[in-house]
Amino acid sequence: MKPGYDSIVLNWLIDPQQSWTEIRAVDRDIECRQAPMPLELGVGWISKYDLPMGMSVLRADYRFNSSATGKLVQTARLEASLPVETLMLHTLSHGRSIQDDHILKETFSYGVGFDLFRYAQEVAVTPAVDCTFNCLATVLAVGRPALANLLGATVADRTLVALGLEVAPTVVVRAMPPSISSILQKAIPNNMTGLMRTLFIQARVLDYLTALIDHLGTNESDAPPVKVATQRAKDLHEYLVNTCGKLPTLELLAAQFNVSVRTLNNDFRAEYGQPIHAFVAEHRLSEAHVAIERSDIPLKTLAERLGYSHVNHFLAAFRRKFGYPPGNLRKRQPREP
């Protein structure tokens, strides 16, 4: 089975001295080919691996100098010709990317904790990266026939519906548990070559697809189609309970899910009975109560970990919820010496 693309053309924007790079389906694997980048920005590499089962894995690794902090730089205009409608799964283990989609005439932002899913037969995008962070992007491309061959036609259809990708071209950004995204992010080994490397990448990709359909619930026998709003609320819930520190604003969360703040909040309330803000406040204070009982973590450290801008705000919120300050809890819950 041939790779999931005919050709990929990168018209480089990050370095005006460079023109373009073409990656063709007949080309061999590309391992850490240096990407054109001015020395004042940093260094970058691109890699591409084609798998026997009709899948392709691509990676872009950009490492920026501290002097580039705060810059938002367009890397290249990427145009891809795909032989069939193709599912493309984009994940970042570092950094943040903003994609201008020239076909859909929309802009999509994604980063750690939020993955981008595209279903299309033609791609024309200009990604930009935030140079404040190093950026490591991994993309898996699976054609519709290959997806049906791997998962079975019914599960493949359910998975596209659950992701909100019933019709091409469509792009969605959704929260994704790190336990799933990391499987794909770690698919390319640093210490293998040849057939062993190909088999390792293929095994990791299959693990990733298995974890994805388990998460979406699309592998269950006779499972009904998952409502997009319900799945969106569940993805957001998992993101909220697994994220420490200050959370993005509701406006940014809504933008990540490509819906309005009102829609995101209504979806979450319908599934969990609370608006997002109330859920986060209650969940984090309950976590704090347990942490204070079971550890000696300083209250200031705990407040920062829970996203409070000042320890006094945390103390006031704790007292409002439980009726007593955190210090009293520790006094009446002595730990064994």
Side-chain angles (χ1 to χ4, degrees), residues 134-147:
N134 292 332
C135 184
L136 183 60
T138 305
V139 182
L140 168 64
V142 189
R144 179 66 175 268
L147 191 68

Side-chain angles (χ1 to χ4, degrees), residues 48 50 139 164 175-176 187 213 219 226-227 277 285 299 330:
K48 182 270 296 185
D50 296 323
V139 182
M176 192 57 55
I213 62 176
N219 60 331
V226 181
K227 288 185 177 180
H277 177 77
L285 287 172
L299 297 182
R330 277 185 166 160

Side-chain angles (χ1 to χ4, degrees), residues 103-291:
I103 296 175
L104 296 176
K105 309 298 183 185
E106 294 184 60
T107 299
F108 302 93
S109 174
Y110 71 108
V112 178
F114 289 88
D115 293 346
L116 183 146
F117 298 84
R118 171 179 281 105
Y119 186 56
Q121 194 168 349
E122 181 183 6
V123 179
V125 298
T126 300
V129 291
D130 183 347
C131 299
T132 304
F133 314 96
N134 292 332
C135 184
L136 183 60
T138 305
V139 182
L140 168 64
V142 189
R144 179 66 175 268
L147 191 68
N149 187 43
L150 288 166
L151 306 181
T154 301
V155 174
D157 289 345
R158 289 174 180 162
T159 300
L160 291 172
V161 170
L163 289 170
L165 301 174
E166 299 95 322
V167 180
T170 306
V171 174
V172 297
V173 176
R174 60 187 301 145
M176 192 57 55
S179 58
I180 296 176
S181 300
S182 64
I183 300 174
L184 184 56
Q185 293 162 1
K186 298 176 182 177
I188 300 176
N190 296 321
N191 57 348
M192 297 181 189
T193 58
L195 181 59
M196 181 63 72
R197 178 183 59 200
T198 300
L199 292 174
F200 180 89
I201 297 173
Q202 180 174 295
R204 295 292 289 184
V205 166
L206 295 177
D207 287 343
Y208 168 77
L209 290 173
T210 300
L212 178 65
I213 62 176
D214 282 344
H215 172 68
L216 297 173
T218 55
N219 60 331
E220 298 176 8
S221 176
D222 298 323
V226 181
K227 288 185 177 180
V228 173
T230 298
Q231 189 63 56
R232 182 162 52 229
K234 290 181 177 180
D235 289 344
L236 176 58
H237 177 272
E238 188 152 5
Y239 173 75
L240 294 175
V241 300
N242 285 290
T243 301
C244 296
K246 189 174 181 180
L247 287 167
T249 63
L250 289 182
E251 287 75 14
L252 183 54
L253 283 172
Q256 297 280 26
F257 282 93
N258 294 311
V259 295
S260 67
V261 170
R262 181 177 180 180
T263 296
L264 188 65
N265 215 30
N266 287 346
D267 291 348
F268 192 86
R269 186 197 293 268
E271 190 68 22
Y272 295 100
Q274 291 178 294
I276 297 169
H277 177 77
F279 169 82
V280 171
E282 184 171 311
H283 173 74
R284 291 193 164 188
L285 287 172
S286 297
E287 281 192 327
H289 196 284
V290 173

